[in-house]
Amino acid sequence: AQSVSQHNHHVILSEAASLELGCNYSYGGTVNLFWYVQYPGQHLQLLLKYFSGDPLVKGIKGFEAEFIKSKFSFNLRKPSVQWSDTAEYFCALESGGGADGLTFGKGTHLIIQP
Amino acid sequence: NAGVTQTPKFQVLKTGQSMTLQCAQDMNHEYMSWYRQDPGMGLRLIHYSVGAGITDQGEVPNGYNVSRSTTEDFPLRLLSAAPSQTSVYFCASSWTSGSLSGANVLTFGAGSRLTVL
């Protein structure tokens, strides 16, 4: 069975700090990978996605993620965070060719202090 | 575009009561799904549908029923509510599922917060 592991459940940073949120997955075949964000009181929105091609993908609001197949990782990065980045971040996986829906990690609650 | 619309936004039930969470999308998406979100647990898939008339179980289907009589609607029924079903429920849809098309980015509804006493 596939699974997604997010290493940090809570992260607190100051504005302008650099961010890296870890995501590892367990699945032996082709995968699609996603990062979704949930701002306070709002529903989930897509931040970025990887389907194929360049393993470094760029998303909205200056976020990027790198797919490292050998490490089964898809870490999310941002060079300089803002207070408005306070949110919950979810890494998700879809296994290749399947219709089983997305498997989500447990989420990382990011708090940016002004 | 309304996107994915969920009703109600909030609901309080007593143990044993039944209810239906409604989900409708106006994007002609084939794929629809229900997730529940619990603190520290992320989102877990309850049921999903790849098209009208087709439904299947996800990771945590027990205590829930679904049907998909039309492309637009995908209601989630709680047959006999239990306190363990207290959660926030999200409906999500996409053009399709699977990796081949690349068109399976989920659009989420705003969520339905359910409390079972």
Side-chain angles (χ1 to χ4, degrees), chain B residues 44-116:
Chain B
R44 292 179 291 170
L45 183 64
I46 304 172
H47 285 284
Y48 65 94
S49 168
V50 299
I54 306 169
T55 63
D56 209 341
Q57 297 181 349
E59 180 186 354
V60 288
N62 292 341
Y64 307 96
N65 270 359
V66 291
S67 60
R68 184 91 181 272
S69 56
T70 66
T71 300
E72 294 78 20
D73 299 300
F74 191 46
L76 178 72
R77 297 183 186 84
L78 281 72
L79 308 172
S80 177
S84 60
Q85 294 178 302
T86 293
S87 187
V88 180
Y89 292 84
F90 287 97
C91 180
S93 71
S94 68
W95 286 110
T96 184
S97 62
S99 65
L100 299 180
S101 69
N104 48 359
V105 173
L106 289 174
T107 299
F108 282 85
S112 298
R113 184 175 293 274
L114 174 67
T115 301
V116 183

Side-chain angles (χ1 to χ4, degrees), chain A residues 6 9 30-32 34 36 38 41-46 49 51 88 90 94-107, chain B residues 31 35 37-38 40-45 48 50 56 58-59 90 96-111:
Chain A
Q6 292 183 240
H9 296 302
T30 304
V31 295
N32 296 329
F34 307 81
Y36 281 85
Q38 185 178 30
Q42 297 187 26
H43 57 89
L44 279 84
Q45 306 168 41
L46 181 71
K49 63 184 185 292
F51 286 156
E88 188 136 20
F90 294 94
E94 181 177 49
S95 58
D100 297 336
L102 266 64
T103 298
F104 283 84
K106 294 185 178 181
Chain B
Y31 181 83
Y35 288 86
Q37 182 182 20
D38 302 290
M41 300 294 290
L43 283 86
R44 292 179 291 170
L45 183 64
Y48 65 94
V50 299
D56 209 341
E59 180 186 354
F90 287 97
T96 184
S97 62
S99 65
L100 299 180
S101 69
N104 48 359
V105 173
L106 289 174
T107 299
F108 282 85

Side-chain angles (χ1 to χ4, degrees), chain A residues 51-96:
Chain A
F51 286 156
S52 63
D54 189 343
L56 183 63
V57 292
K58 296 190 184 298
I60 60 172
K61 302 186 179 184
F63 285 91
E64 65 178 30
E66 185 175 12
F67 171 52
I68 302 179
K69 189 174 181 179
S70 61
K71 295 185 178 180
F72 297 90
S73 70
F74 191 56
N75 292 354
L76 181 70
R77 300 193 293 248
K78 185 171 183 178
S80 177
V81 293
Q82 301 172 309
W83 177 78
S84 58
D85 292 325
T86 294
E88 188 136 20
Y89 292 81
F90 294 94
C91 183
L93 168 153
E94 181 177 49
S95 58

